[in-house]
Amino acid sequence: MKCKINRNAAKELKELLAANEAEGKMIRVVVTEMHGDHAHYEITLDTPTEHDEIVKTDKEIDVLLDRREDFLDGVWIQYFYVPQAGFVITNSSKGSHRH
């Protein structure tokens, strides 16, 4: 499975992982809604399960993706500061998005 992270997202995710409540946990991307040909995503903190693949990114952050969920393969986690601060998770190979 594949996952990309932009530089801003890496900075924000590292801050999330540094928080006390994140101790022993990893970043997970989950599908929150399915709409036929696309999905909506969310970031959570979690621990690996038997169904997960730990995907190493080029930003030194490992991301948990459930191998059973096809819409997770190829997600791109981005963080933008304008027009409003927040994560945008897309998957161009699946025509999916989250704003």
Side-chain angles (χ1 to χ4, degrees), residues 23-90:
E23 191 171 334
K25 296 191 175 174
M26 298 174 69
I27 299 295
R28 175 186 295 281
V29 177
V30 296
V31 173
T32 56
E33 284 181 64
M34 299 287 292
H35 296 288
D37 66 340
H38 75 275
H40 295 254
Y41 302 97
E42 195 170 281
I43 292 172
T44 63
L45 292 169
D46 204 358
T47 52
T49 70
E50 63 187 89
H51 301 292
D52 292 326
E53 182 169 329
I54 298 172
V55 180
K56 299 202 176 298
T57 69
D58 64 350
K59 303 290 189 286
E60 299 175 11
I61 294 176
D62 295 339
V63 178
L64 296 174
L65 299 177
D66 188 326
R67 283 189 298 270
R68 300 168 298 176
E69 181 50 74
D70 188 46
F71 274 90
L72 292 173
D73 189 16
V75 291
W76 188 18
I77 304 169
Q78 299 175 86
Y79 191 93
F80 296 102
Y81 296 100
V82 291
Q84 62 188 31
F87 286 101
V88 176
I89 305 170
T90 56

